[in-house]
Amino acid sequence: MSSPHVLVVDDTHVDRHVISMALMRHNVRVTAVESVMQALVFLDSEHDVNMIVSDYCMPQMTGYDLLMEVKKSPRLAHLPVIIASSDNIPERIRKCFDGGAKDYILKPVKIADVPRILNYI
């Protein structure tokens, strides 16, 4: 069985790196991109992604926008999406869950969060 493949979307290099390294320590293949547009282009050409972990606050399009694009696509709607954000705003969290997010994790993402993330693969 091949390793699960997670798409990490975050405009901050440090956050992309931390999440990617934490997942790779658990034998997860990671593709990391810095924008929602890059994620959508990647998802259009790549068909073996098992999950998406996305920052909420990014320029141009948010993680919520990515969530909506994924959930409206018949080909992608099955993918679990986890939103990560440093903002603990109850309305935003509820909006993400109502939109189909599997989880909302507060940044900084910690090693202790990884089993919680892997639970959705």
Short mmCIF file of all heavy atoms in Angstrom, two decimals, residues 64-120:
data_model
loop_
_atom_site.label_atom_id
_atom_site.label_comp_id
_atom_site.label_asym_id
_atom_site.label_seq_id
_atom_site.Cartn_x
_atom_site.Cartn_y
_atom_site.Cartn_z
N TYR A 64 -11.20 28.87 3.03
CA TYR A 64 -12.64 28.61 2.89
C TYR A 64 -13.02 28.58 1.40
O TYR A 64 -13.81 27.74 0.98
CB TYR A 64 -13.46 29.65 3.63
CG TYR A 64 -14.94 29.41 3.51
CD1 TYR A 64 -15.57 28.43 4.27
CD2 TYR A 64 -15.71 30.14 2.60
CE1 TYR A 64 -16.93 28.19 4.14
CE2 TYR A 64 -17.07 29.90 2.47
CZ TYR A 64 -17.68 28.93 3.24
OH TYR A 64 -19.02 28.68 3.10
N ASP A 65 -12.44 29.50 0.61
CA ASP A 65 -12.70 29.49 -0.84
C ASP A 65 -12.25 28.17 -1.45
O ASP A 65 -12.95 27.59 -2.30
CB ASP A 65 -11.98 30.65 -1.53
CG ASP A 65 -12.47 32.01 -1.08
OD1 ASP A 65 -13.67 32.15 -0.78
OD2 ASP A 65 -11.64 32.95 -1.03
N LEU A 66 -11.09 27.67 -1.02
CA LEU A 66 -10.60 26.38 -1.51
C LEU A 66 -11.57 25.27 -1.11
O LEU A 66 -11.94 24.42 -1.93
CB LEU A 66 -9.21 26.09 -0.97
CG LEU A 66 -8.63 24.71 -1.30
CD1 LEU A 66 -8.52 24.49 -2.81
CD2 LEU A 66 -7.27 24.53 -0.63
N LEU A 67 -12.01 25.30 0.14
CA LEU A 67 -12.97 24.31 0.62
C LEU A 67 -14.22 24.29 -0.26
O LEU A 67 -14.69 23.23 -0.67
CB LEU A 67 -13.34 24.62 2.08
CG LEU A 67 -14.46 23.81 2.72
CD1 LEU A 67 -14.06 22.35 2.85
CD2 LEU A 67 -14.82 24.41 4.08
N MET A 68 -14.74 25.47 -0.59
CA MET A 68 -15.94 25.56 -1.42
C MET A 68 -15.69 25.01 -2.83
O MET A 68 -16.54 24.31 -3.39
CB MET A 68 -16.44 27.01 -1.50
CG MET A 68 -16.97 27.56 -0.19
SD MET A 68 -18.43 26.69 0.44
CE MET A 68 -17.73 25.41 1.45
N GLU A 69 -14.53 25.32 -3.40
CA GLU A 69 -14.19 24.80 -4.73
C GLU A 69 -14.09 23.27 -4.72
O GLU A 69 -14.57 22.60 -5.64
CB GLU A 69 -12.87 25.41 -5.24
CG GLU A 69 -12.96 26.88 -5.56
CD GLU A 69 -13.88 27.18 -6.73
OE1 GLU A 69 -13.86 26.42 -7.72
OE2 GLU A 69 -14.62 28.17 -6.63
N VAL A 70 -13.48 22.74 -3.68
CA VAL A 70 -13.32 21.28 -3.57
C VAL A 70 -14.69 20.62 -3.41
O VAL A 70 -15.00 19.63 -4.09
CB VAL A 70 -12.38 20.93 -2.39
CG1 VAL A 70 -12.47 19.45 -2.04
CG2 VAL A 70 -10.95 21.33 -2.72
N LYS A 71 -15.52 21.15 -2.54
CA LYS A 71 -16.80 20.51 -2.24
C LYS A 71 -17.79 20.61 -3.40
O LYS A 71 -18.68 19.77 -3.51
CB LYS A 71 -17.40 21.09 -0.96
CG LYS A 71 -16.58 20.74 0.29
CD LYS A 71 -16.36 19.24 0.41
CE LYS A 71 -15.43 18.86 1.51
NZ LYS A 71 -15.11 17.44 1.56
N LYS A 72 -17.64 21.59 -4.28
CA LYS A 72 -18.56 21.69 -5.42
C LYS A 72 -18.09 20.87 -6.63
O LYS A 72 -18.83 20.72 -7.59
CB LYS A 72 -18.81 23.15 -5.81
CG LYS A 72 -17.74 23.81 -6.60
CD LYS A 72 -18.15 25.24 -6.95
CE LYS A 72 -17.11 25.89 -7.84
NZ LYS A 72 -17.43 27.29 -8.11
N SER A 73 -16.90 20.31 -6.54
CA SER A 73 -16.36 19.50 -7.64
C SER A 73 -16.71 18.03 -7.42
O SER A 73 -16.30 17.44 -6.43
CB SER A 73 -14.84 19.64 -7.70
OG SER A 73 -14.30 18.64 -8.54
N PRO A 74 -17.44 17.42 -8.36
CA PRO A 74 -17.78 15.99 -8.21
C PRO A 74 -16.53 15.11 -8.06
O PRO A 74 -16.56 14.11 -7.35
CB PRO A 74 -18.54 15.65 -9.49
CG PRO A 74 -19.06 16.96 -9.99
CD PRO A 74 -18.05 18.00 -9.56
N ARG A 75 -15.44 15.50 -8.69
CA ARG A 75 -14.21 14.70 -8.65
C ARG A 75 -13.45 14.88 -7.34
O ARG A 75 -12.71 13.99 -6.91
CB ARG A 75 -13.31 15.08 -9.84
CG ARG A 75 -12.15 14.15 -10.04
CD ARG A 75 -11.34 14.49 -11.27
NE ARG A 75 -10.72 15.79 -11.25
CZ ARG A 75 -9.62 16.11 -10.54
NH1 ARG A 75 -9.06 15.20 -9.79
NH2 ARG A 75 -9.12 17.31 -10.58
N LEU A 76 -13.64 16.02 -6.66
CA LEU A 76 -12.86 16.32 -5.46
C LEU A 76 -13.66 16.30 -4.17
O LEU A 76 -13.08 16.27 -3.08
CB LEU A 76 -12.21 17.70 -5.61
CG LEU A 76 -11.29 17.91 -6.80
CD1 LEU A 76 -10.86 19.38 -6.87
CD2 LEU A 76 -10.09 16.99 -6.73
N ALA A 77 -14.97 16.33 -4.27
CA ALA A 77 -15.83 16.52 -3.09
C ALA A 77 -15.59 15.49 -1.98
O ALA A 77 -15.84 15.78 -0.80
CB ALA A 77 -17.30 16.50 -3.51
N HIS A 78 -15.08 14.32 -2.34
CA HIS A 78 -14.83 13.28 -1.34
C HIS A 78 -13.61 13.57 -0.46
O HIS A 78 -13.44 12.96 0.60
CB HIS A 78 -14.64 11.92 -2.02
CG HIS A 78 -13.34 11.84 -2.77
ND1 HIS A 78 -13.17 12.42 -4.01
CD2 HIS A 78 -12.16 11.27 -2.44
CE1 HIS A 78 -11.93 12.20 -4.42
NE2 HIS A 78 -11.29 11.51 -3.48
N LEU A 79 -12.75 14.49 -0.89
CA LEU A 79 -11.51 14.74 -0.16
C LEU A 79 -11.77 15.44 1.17
O LEU A 79 -12.47 16.46 1.22
CB LEU A 79 -10.57 15.63 -0.98
CG LEU A 79 -9.93 15.01 -2.20
CD1 LEU A 79 -9.13 16.07 -2.97
CD2 LEU A 79 -9.04 13.85 -1.82
N PRO A 80 -11.21 14.90 2.25
CA PRO A 80 -11.32 15.61 3.52
C PRO A 80 -10.45 16.88 3.47
O PRO A 80 -9.33 16.85 2.96
CB PRO A 80 -10.78 14.62 4.56
CG PRO A 80 -10.15 13.52 3.80
CD PRO A 80 -10.54 13.62 2.37
N VAL A 81 -10.99 17.97 3.97
CA VAL A 81 -10.27 19.24 4.04
C VAL A 81 -10.20 19.67 5.49
O VAL A 81 -11.21 19.70 6.19
CB VAL A 81 -10.97 20.34 3.20
CG1 VAL A 81 -10.23 21.67 3.32
CG2 VAL A 81 -11.09 19.91 1.74
N ILE A 82 -8.98 19.99 5.94
CA ILE A 82 -8.76 20.50 7.28
C ILE A 82 -8.28 21.93 7.15
O ILE A 82 -7.36 22.21 6.37
CB ILE A 82 -7.73 19.65 8.05
CG1 ILE A 82 -8.28 18.24 8.25
CG2 ILE A 82 -7.37 20.30 9.38
CD1 ILE A 82 -7.31 17.28 8.88
N ILE A 83 -8.89 22.83 7.87
CA ILE A 83 -8.50 24.23 7.87
C ILE A 83 -7.62 24.48 9.09
O ILE A 83 -7.93 24.04 10.20
CB ILE A 83 -9.73 25.16 7.91
CG1 ILE A 83 -10.65 24.90 6.72
CG2 ILE A 83 -9.30 26.63 7.99
CD1 ILE A 83 -10.07 25.24 5.36
N ALA A 84 -6.51 25.20 8.87
CA ALA A 84 -5.62 25.59 9.95
C ALA A 84 -5.58 27.12 10.00
O ALA A 84 -5.48 27.76 8.96
CB ALA A 84 -4.22 25.02 9.73
N SER A 85 -5.66 27.67 11.19
CA SER A 85 -5.65 29.13 11.31
C SER A 85 -5.18 29.54 12.70
O SER A 85 -5.41 28.82 13.67
CB SER A 85 -7.05 29.70 11.06
OG SER A 85 -7.05 31.10 11.21
N SER A 86 -4.57 30.70 12.77
CA SER A 86 -4.19 31.23 14.09
C SER A 86 -5.36 31.98 14.73
O SER A 86 -5.27 32.39 15.87
CB SER A 86 -2.97 32.15 13.96
OG SER A 86 -3.24 33.17 13.03
N ASP A 87 -6.43 32.15 13.97
CA ASP A 87 -7.60 32.88 14.47
C ASP A 87 -8.63 31.93 15.06
O ASP A 87 -9.14 31.06 14.38
CB ASP A 87 -8.25 33.67 13.34
CG ASP A 87 -7.33 34.71 12.74
OD1 ASP A 87 -6.54 35.31 13.52
OD2 ASP A 87 -7.37 34.93 11.52
N ASN A 88 -8.93 32.16 16.32
CA ASN A 88 -9.95 31.37 17.01
C ASN A 88 -11.25 32.17 17.02
O ASN A 88 -11.64 32.74 18.03
CB ASN A 88 -9.47 31.05 18.44
CG ASN A 88 -10.38 30.06 19.13
OD1 ASN A 88 -11.35 29.58 18.56
ND2 ASN A 88 -10.07 29.77 20.37
N ILE A 89 -11.89 32.23 15.85
CA ILE A 89 -13.11 33.01 15.67
C ILE A 89 -14.27 32.03 15.49
O ILE A 89 -14.36 31.35 14.46
CB ILE A 89 -12.98 33.94 14.44
CG1 ILE A 89 -11.77 34.86 14.61
CG2 ILE A 89 -14.27 34.72 14.23
CD1 ILE A 89 -11.42 35.66 13.37
N PRO A 90 -15.15 31.92 16.50
CA PRO A 90 -16.21 30.91 16.45
C PRO A 90 -17.06 30.94 15.17
O PRO A 90 -17.38 29.89 14.63
CB PRO A 90 -17.06 31.22 17.69
CG PRO A 90 -16.10 31.86 18.64
CD PRO A 90 -15.17 32.66 17.78
N GLU A 91 -17.39 32.13 14.68
CA GLU A 91 -18.20 32.21 13.46
C GLU A 91 -17.46 31.62 12.27
O GLU A 91 -18.04 30.95 11.42
CB GLU A 91 -18.58 33.67 13.15
CG GLU A 91 -19.44 34.31 14.20
CD GLU A 91 -18.65 34.80 15.43
OE1 GLU A 91 -17.43 35.08 15.32
OE2 GLU A 91 -19.25 34.89 16.51
N ARG A 92 -16.15 31.89 12.18
CA ARG A 92 -15.34 31.36 11.09
C ARG A 92 -15.24 29.84 11.20
O ARG A 92 -15.35 29.13 10.20
CB ARG A 92 -13.95 31.98 11.10
CG ARG A 92 -13.07 31.44 9.98
CD ARG A 92 -11.69 32.02 10.01
NE ARG A 92 -11.73 33.44 9.71
CZ ARG A 92 -10.69 34.24 9.86
NH1 ARG A 92 -9.56 33.78 10.32
NH2 ARG A 92 -10.80 35.52 9.55
N ILE A 93 -15.01 29.37 12.39
CA ILE A 93 -14.89 27.92 12.61
C ILE A 93 -16.20 27.23 12.21
O ILE A 93 -16.19 26.24 11.47
CB ILE A 93 -14.52 27.62 14.08
CG1 ILE A 93 -13.14 28.19 14.39
CG2 ILE A 93 -14.59 26.12 14.36
CD1 ILE A 93 -12.78 28.21 15.87
N ARG A 94 -17.32 27.78 12.66
CA ARG A 94 -18.63 27.21 12.32
C ARG A 94 -18.87 27.23 10.81
O ARG A 94 -19.36 26.27 10.23
CB ARG A 94 -19.73 27.98 13.06
CG ARG A 94 -21.10 27.35 12.93
CD ARG A 94 -22.17 27.99 13.81
NE ARG A 94 -21.96 29.39 14.17
CZ ARG A 94 -21.46 29.82 15.34
NH1 ARG A 94 -21.13 28.96 16.26
NH2 ARG A 94 -21.31 31.10 15.58
N LYS A 95 -18.50 28.34 10.17
CA LYS A 95 -18.65 28.47 8.71
C LYS A 95 -17.86 27.37 7.99
O LYS A 95 -18.36 26.77 7.04
CB LYS A 95 -18.17 29.86 8.29
CG LYS A 95 -18.22 30.14 6.81
CD LYS A 95 -17.73 31.57 6.56
CE LYS A 95 -17.45 31.83 5.12
NZ LYS A 95 -16.92 33.17 4.88
N CYS A 96 -16.65 27.11 8.45
CA CYS A 96 -15.82 26.07 7.82
C CYS A 96 -16.45 24.68 8.01
O CYS A 96 -16.52 23.90 7.05
CB CYS A 96 -14.40 26.11 8.36
SG CYS A 96 -13.46 27.55 7.82
N PHE A 97 -16.89 24.39 9.22
CA PHE A 97 -17.53 23.09 9.45
C PHE A 97 -18.82 22.97 8.63
O PHE A 97 -19.09 21.93 8.04
CB PHE A 97 -17.81 22.86 10.93
CG PHE A 97 -16.62 22.39 11.71
CD1 PHE A 97 -16.12 23.14 12.77
CD2 PHE A 97 -15.99 21.20 11.39
CE1 PHE A 97 -15.02 22.70 13.49
CE2 PHE A 97 -14.88 20.75 12.09
CZ PHE A 97 -14.40 21.51 13.14
N ASP A 98 -19.61 24.03 8.60
CA ASP A 98 -20.85 24.01 7.81
C ASP A 98 -20.56 23.83 6.33
O ASP A 98 -21.36 23.23 5.60
CB ASP A 98 -21.66 25.30 8.02
CG ASP A 98 -22.28 25.39 9.41
OD1 ASP A 98 -22.30 24.36 10.13
OD2 ASP A 98 -22.75 26.49 9.76
N GLY A 99 -19.40 24.31 5.88
CA GLY A 99 -19.01 24.18 4.48
C GLY A 99 -18.43 22.82 4.13
O GLY A 99 -18.15 22.54 2.97
N GLY A 100 -18.21 21.99 5.14
CA GLY A 100 -17.73 20.63 4.88
C GLY A 100 -16.34 20.32 5.37
O GLY A 100 -15.81 19.23 5.12
N ALA A 101 -15.69 21.26 6.08
CA ALA A 101 -14.36 20.97 6.63
C ALA A 101 -14.46 19.84 7.66
O ALA A 101 -15.42 19.77 8.42
CB ALA A 101 -13.77 22.21 7.29
N LYS A 102 -13.48 18.96 7.66
CA LYS A 102 -13.45 17.87 8.64
C LYS A 102 -12.96 18.33 9.99
O LYS A 102 -13.33 17.77 11.02
CB LYS A 102 -12.56 16.72 8.14
CG LYS A 102 -13.12 15.97 6.98
CD LYS A 102 -14.35 15.22 7.39
CE LYS A 102 -14.87 14.36 6.26
NZ LYS A 102 -16.14 13.73 6.61
N ASP A 103 -12.08 19.36 9.99
CA ASP A 103 -11.54 19.85 11.24
C ASP A 103 -11.03 21.27 11.05
O ASP A 103 -10.85 21.73 9.91
CB ASP A 103 -10.40 18.94 11.74
CG ASP A 103 -10.28 18.91 13.25
OD1 ASP A 103 -10.76 19.85 13.93
OD2 ASP A 103 -9.69 17.95 13.77
N TYR A 104 -10.81 21.96 12.16
CA TYR A 104 -10.28 23.31 12.18
C TYR A 104 -9.23 23.30 13.28
O TYR A 104 -9.57 23.12 14.45
CB TYR A 104 -11.40 24.30 12.49
CG TYR A 104 -11.02 25.76 12.37
CD1 TYR A 104 -11.38 26.49 11.24
CD2 TYR A 104 -10.34 26.43 13.39
CE1 TYR A 104 -11.07 27.84 11.13
CE2 TYR A 104 -10.02 27.77 13.28
CZ TYR A 104 -10.40 28.47 12.15
OH TYR A 104 -10.08 29.81 12.04
N ILE A 105 -7.98 23.45 12.90
CA ILE A 105 -6.87 23.33 13.85
C ILE A 105 -6.25 24.71 14.05
O ILE A 105 -5.98 25.42 13.07
CB ILE A 105 -5.82 22.33 13.34
CG1 ILE A 105 -6.45 20.93 13.30
CG2 ILE A 105 -4.57 22.36 14.20
CD1 ILE A 105 -5.56 19.86 12.75
N LEU A 106 -6.03 25.05 15.31
CA LEU A 106 -5.40 26.33 15.61
C LEU A 106 -3.89 26.25 15.41
O LEU A 106 -3.26 25.28 15.85
CB LEU A 106 -5.73 26.77 17.03
CG LEU A 106 -7.18 27.18 17.26
CD1 LEU A 106 -7.43 27.49 18.73
CD2 LEU A 106 -7.55 28.38 16.40
N LYS A 107 -3.35 27.25 14.74
CA LYS A 107 -1.90 27.35 14.55
C LYS A 107 -1.29 27.99 15.80
O LYS A 107 -1.95 28.77 16.47
CB LYS A 107 -1.59 28.23 13.35
CG LYS A 107 -1.88 27.60 12.02
CD LYS A 107 -1.51 28.61 10.97
CE LYS A 107 -1.55 28.08 9.59
NZ LYS A 107 -1.13 29.10 8.64
N PRO A 108 -0.05 27.70 16.06
CA PRO A 108 0.81 26.87 15.22
C PRO A 108 0.45 25.39 15.35
O PRO A 108 0.10 24.92 16.43
CB PRO A 108 2.21 27.13 15.78
CG PRO A 108 1.98 27.51 17.21
CD PRO A 108 0.65 28.21 17.24
N VAL A 109 0.51 24.68 14.22
CA VAL A 109 0.27 23.25 14.23
C VAL A 109 1.41 22.59 14.99
O VAL A 109 2.58 22.91 14.77
CB VAL A 109 0.16 22.69 12.79
CG1 VAL A 109 0.05 21.18 12.80
CG2 VAL A 109 -1.04 23.31 12.08
N LYS A 110 1.04 21.70 15.90
CA LYS A 110 2.03 21.04 16.73
C LYS A 110 2.12 19.55 16.39
O LYS A 110 1.20 19.00 15.80
CB LYS A 110 1.64 21.22 18.21
CG LYS A 110 1.59 22.68 18.65
CD LYS A 110 0.93 22.86 19.99
CE LYS A 110 -0.56 22.93 20.02
NZ LYS A 110 -1.30 23.62 19.00
N ILE A 111 3.20 18.94 16.77
CA ILE A 111 3.38 17.50 16.56
C ILE A 111 2.18 16.74 17.13
O ILE A 111 1.71 15.77 16.55
CB ILE A 111 4.70 17.01 17.19
CG1 ILE A 111 5.89 17.63 16.47
CG2 ILE A 111 4.79 15.49 17.17
CD1 ILE A 111 6.06 17.23 15.03
N ALA A 112 1.67 17.20 18.26
CA ALA A 112 0.52 16.54 18.90
C ALA A 112 -0.73 16.61 18.03
O ALA A 112 -1.66 15.82 18.22
CB ALA A 112 0.25 17.17 20.26
N ASP A 113 -0.79 17.54 17.06
CA ASP A 113 -1.95 17.64 16.17
C ASP A 113 -1.93 16.62 15.04
O ASP A 113 -2.95 16.36 14.42
CB ASP A 113 -2.02 19.04 15.54
CG ASP A 113 -2.30 20.13 16.54
OD1 ASP A 113 -3.11 19.89 17.46
OD2 ASP A 113 -1.72 21.23 16.40
N VAL A 114 -0.77 16.04 14.77
CA VAL A 114 -0.63 15.16 13.61
C VAL A 114 -1.54 13.94 13.67
O VAL A 114 -2.23 13.64 12.68
CB VAL A 114 0.84 14.76 13.37
CG1 VAL A 114 0.97 13.73 12.27
CG2 VAL A 114 1.67 16.01 13.03
N PRO A 115 -1.62 13.21 14.80
CA PRO A 115 -2.56 12.08 14.82
C PRO A 115 -4.00 12.50 14.54
O PRO A 115 -4.74 11.79 13.86
CB PRO A 115 -2.42 11.52 16.24
CG PRO A 115 -1.04 11.93 16.67
CD PRO A 115 -0.81 13.29 16.02
N ARG A 116 -4.37 13.66 15.01
CA ARG A 116 -5.71 14.20 14.74
C ARG A 116 -5.90 14.43 13.25
O ARG A 116 -6.94 14.10 12.68
CB ARG A 116 -5.85 15.51 15.52
CG ARG A 116 -7.13 16.22 15.36
CD ARG A 116 -7.13 17.40 16.32
NE ARG A 116 -8.07 18.41 15.92
CZ ARG A 116 -8.12 19.61 16.47
NH1 ARG A 116 -7.27 19.93 17.42
NH2 ARG A 116 -9.01 20.47 16.06
N ILE A 117 -4.88 14.96 12.59
CA ILE A 117 -4.94 15.19 11.14
C ILE A 117 -5.00 13.85 10.41
O ILE A 117 -5.83 13.67 9.51
CB ILE A 117 -3.71 16.01 10.67
CG1 ILE A 117 -3.77 17.45 11.24
CG2 ILE A 117 -3.62 16.04 9.14
CD1 ILE A 117 -2.50 18.24 11.05
N LEU A 118 -4.14 12.92 10.79
CA LEU A 118 -4.07 11.62 10.10
C LEU A 118 -5.36 10.81 10.26
O LEU A 118 -5.64 9.93 9.46
CB LEU A 118 -2.88 10.84 10.61
CG LEU A 118 -1.51 11.44 10.31
CD1 LEU A 118 -0.41 10.60 10.95
CD2 LEU A 118 -1.30 11.60 8.82
N ASN A 119 -6.12 11.13 11.27
CA ASN A 119 -7.39 10.43 11.52
C ASN A 119 -8.36 10.56 10.34
O ASN A 119 -9.24 9.74 10.19
CB ASN A 119 -8.00 11.01 12.80
CG ASN A 119 -9.05 10.12 13.38
OD1 ASN A 119 -8.91 8.91 13.38
ND2 ASN A 119 -10.10 10.73 13.87
N TYR A 120 -8.18 11.58 9.53
CA TYR A 120 -9.13 11.84 8.42
C TYR A 120 -8.70 11.25 7.09
O TYR A 120 -9.42 11.38 6.10
CB TYR A 120 -9.35 13.36 8.28
CG TYR A 120 -9.96 13.94 9.52
CD1 TYR A 120 -9.20 14.70 10.40
CD2 TYR A 120 -11.30 13.72 9.84
CE1 TYR A 120 -9.75 15.23 11.55
CE2 TYR A 120 -11.85 14.24 10.99
CZ TYR A 120 -11.08 15.00 11.84
OH TYR A 120 -11.63 15.52 12.98
#
